[in-house]
């Protein structure tokens, strides 16, 4: 039994957060995986996993070994991908982390369409709104809806993105004419606790200078979809992602205002680690999404 097989077993167990889950995922027995990991620990002379009948965790040595071993295996797999680059069939597993908002919205269809076009590629799509360290947690690529900041990661813009200030027509009729975003501080607002701005909404003056408006309201939610539903009922004003708001704007359920005061510095990006060899599966995935947004949006 070679060391590479034992390392793969160890990484599979860590990624699945347990021997039983890993066995189900990769189609090998729990006993065999346990044997491989135990042999790896014997070979290294160090305990990598703390395991009891109810708990599973990495030791300090396990954390260190997992980070380095994951990168080594990725490089090995990337080399294989490079050799197979001219082969139209993509195989293996692609780990993707995506915001819940992306998955739940219509644009989440892009992931399904990719999977349908490449049936031999296994997609592990993790929907999570927290900031994930791709290298630390073993992801191949991330979709992020954000302002692009300096990073050691590589980013490719998939589409433009902005937030829209929205309310129902009935709410706007009652609120009367509004001239400046500062007036939002006196209106009931619906707060999305997942958003970076939360209760301090970002705007830009006509001269380009940024400013914020502190807002409050009856309802706080951690979902822009729920915020949109609340806005439709006339409870208050919501700041919504454009891909969530536009269908309801088109139907007349919501109207927008203060469009000229909204920042234009955000986008939808595919983010991936800087590697010497970019895996074919990552390049194919990012190219597909880029074309999907260009042809769909």
């Amino acid at each position: 039994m070679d060391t590479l097989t034992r390392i793969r077993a160890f990484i599979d167990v860590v990624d699945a957060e347990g021997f039983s889950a890993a066995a189900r995922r990769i189609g090998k027995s729990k006993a065999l995986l346990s044997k491989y990991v135990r042999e790896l620990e014997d070979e290294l002379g160090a305990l990598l996993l703390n395991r009891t009948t109810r708990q599973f965790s990495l030791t300090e040595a396990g954390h260190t070994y997992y980070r380095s071993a994951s990168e080594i295996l990725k490089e090995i797999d990337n080399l294989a991908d490079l050799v197979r680059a001219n082969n139209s069939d993509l195989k293996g597993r692609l780990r993707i982390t995506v915001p819940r908002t992306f998955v739940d919205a219509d644009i989440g269809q892009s992931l399904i369409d990719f999977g349908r076009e490449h049936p031999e590629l296994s997609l592990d799509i993790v929907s999570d709104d927290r900031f994930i360290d791709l290298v630390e947690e073993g992801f191949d690529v991330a979709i992020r809806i954000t302002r692009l900041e300096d990073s050691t990661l590589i980013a490719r813009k998939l589409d433009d993105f902005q937030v829209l200030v929205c309310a129902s027509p009935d709410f706007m009729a009652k609120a009367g004419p509004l001239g400046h975003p500062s007036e939002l501080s006196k209106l009931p607002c619906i707060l999305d606790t997942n958003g970076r701005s939360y209760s301090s909404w970002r705007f830009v003056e006509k001269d380009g200078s940024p400013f914020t408006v502190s807002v409050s309201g009856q309802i706080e939610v951690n979902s822009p979809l729920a915020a949109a539903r609340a806005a439709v009922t006339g409870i208050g004003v919501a700041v919504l992602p454009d891909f969530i708001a536009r269908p309801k704007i088109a139907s007349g359920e919501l109207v927008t205002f203060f469009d000229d005061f909204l920042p234009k510095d955000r986008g939808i990006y595919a983010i991936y680690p800087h590697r010497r060899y970019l895996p074919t599966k990552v390049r194919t995935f990012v190219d597909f999404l880029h074309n999907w947004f260009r042809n769909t949006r």
Side-chain angles (χ1 to χ4, degrees):
M1 184 55 56
D2 59 69
T3 299
L4 190 59
T5 300
R6 298 186 185 109
I7 293 174
R8 287 191 185 278
F10 168 68
I11 290 174
D12 285 336
V13 169
V14 175
D15 287 344
E17 299 183 352
F19 287 91
S20 298
R24 289 191 296 271
R25 176 180 289 179
I26 66 175
K28 293 183 179 179
S29 72
K30 177 181 175 181
L32 184 60
L33 290 177
S34 180
K35 174 178 176 291
Y36 288 165
V37 172
R38 187 169 58 253
E39 288 175 348
L40 180 62
E41 291 174 326
D42 291 341
E43 182 179 319
L44 296 172
L47 185 67
L48 300 177
L49 298 174
N50 291 314
R51 45 200 185 273
T52 65
T53 55
R54 294 187 178 182
Q55 293 183 332
F56 169 90
S57 64
L58 285 165
T59 64
E60 184 176 351
H63 276 289
T64 301
Y65 194 81
Y66 174 78
R67 286 194 298 269
S68 298
S70 295
E71 285 303 302
I72 291 170
L73 276 188
K74 283 176 183 175
E75 287 298 324
I76 292 172
D77 291 340
N78 293 348
L79 283 170
D81 283 340
L82 193 64
V83 174
R84 294 191 296 261
N86 294 325
N87 188 336
S88 60
D89 292 334
L90 289 179
K91 297 181 181 180
R93 181 164 165 249
L94 183 67
R95 295 198 76 210
I96 311 161
T97 172
V98 190
R100 288 190 181 94
T101 302
F102 186 101
V103 173
D104 293 340
D106 292 343
I107 56 177
Q109 182 65 37
S110 60
L111 304 177
I112 306 304
D113 290 346
F114 177 77
R116 182 174 55 195
E117 186 163 313
H118 300 284
E120 295 187 6
L121 186 62
S122 175
L123 301 185
D124 182 3
I125 303 170
V126 178
S127 175
D128 200 324
D129 290 325
R130 67 187 176 88
F131 186 89
I132 287 178
D133 187 314
L134 299 187
V135 176
E136 177 77 18
E137 301 191 37
F139 283 94
D140 296 296
V141 61
I143 305 300
R144 289 182 181 159
I145 305 169
T146 184
R147 287 173 287 163
L148 191 60
E149 300 173 350
D150 291 339
S151 172
T152 57
L153 303 175
I154 306 300
R156 182 174 180 186
K157 190 174 184 179
L158 303 175
D159 198 19
D160 293 324
F161 165 79
Q162 70 175 129
V163 294
L164 299 173
V165 182
C166 303
S168 70
D170 288 345
F171 180 92
M172 293 305 299
K174 294 175 182 176
L178 299 173
H180 191 269
S182 58
E183 297 173 72
L184 290 171
S185 62
K186 300 177 182 178
L187 295 176
C189 294
I190 302 158
L191 307 184
D192 181 358
T193 58
N194 267 349
R196 284 189 176 186
S197 300
Y198 178 40
S199 62
S200 184
W201 291 355
R202 295 175 61 240
F203 295 95
V204 178
E205 292 284 10
K206 299 293 179 63
D207 63 4
S209 57
F211 68 98
T212 59
V213 176
S214 295
V215 297
S216 61
Q218 175 190 5
I219 292 182
E220 296 184 5
V221 295
N222 66 344
S223 162
L225 289 168
R229 286 195 293 269
V232 167
T233 67
I235 290 177
V237 180
V239 167
L240 302 172
D242 57 355
F243 54 81
I244 297 286
R246 292 202 186 281
K248 297 186 181 301
I249 295 168
S251 68
E253 296 174 279
L254 292 176
V255 295
T256 67
F257 50 104
F258 296 146
D259 291 359
D260 293 339
F261 292 92
L262 295 172
K264 306 289 193 300
D265 58 351
R266 304 178 187 183
I268 301 175
Y269 294 91
I271 311 286
Y272 46 92
H274 190 322
R275 298 198 185 110
R276 184 179 177 187
Y277 302 106
L278 180 64
T280 301
K281 59 187 177 183
V282 173
R283 181 172 60 251
T284 302
F285 174 72
V286 174
D287 287 345
F288 179 92
L289 260 60
H290 182 266
N291 292 329
W292 190 94
F293 276 97
R294 186 175 59 184
N295 296 327
T296 306
R297 294 263 279 169

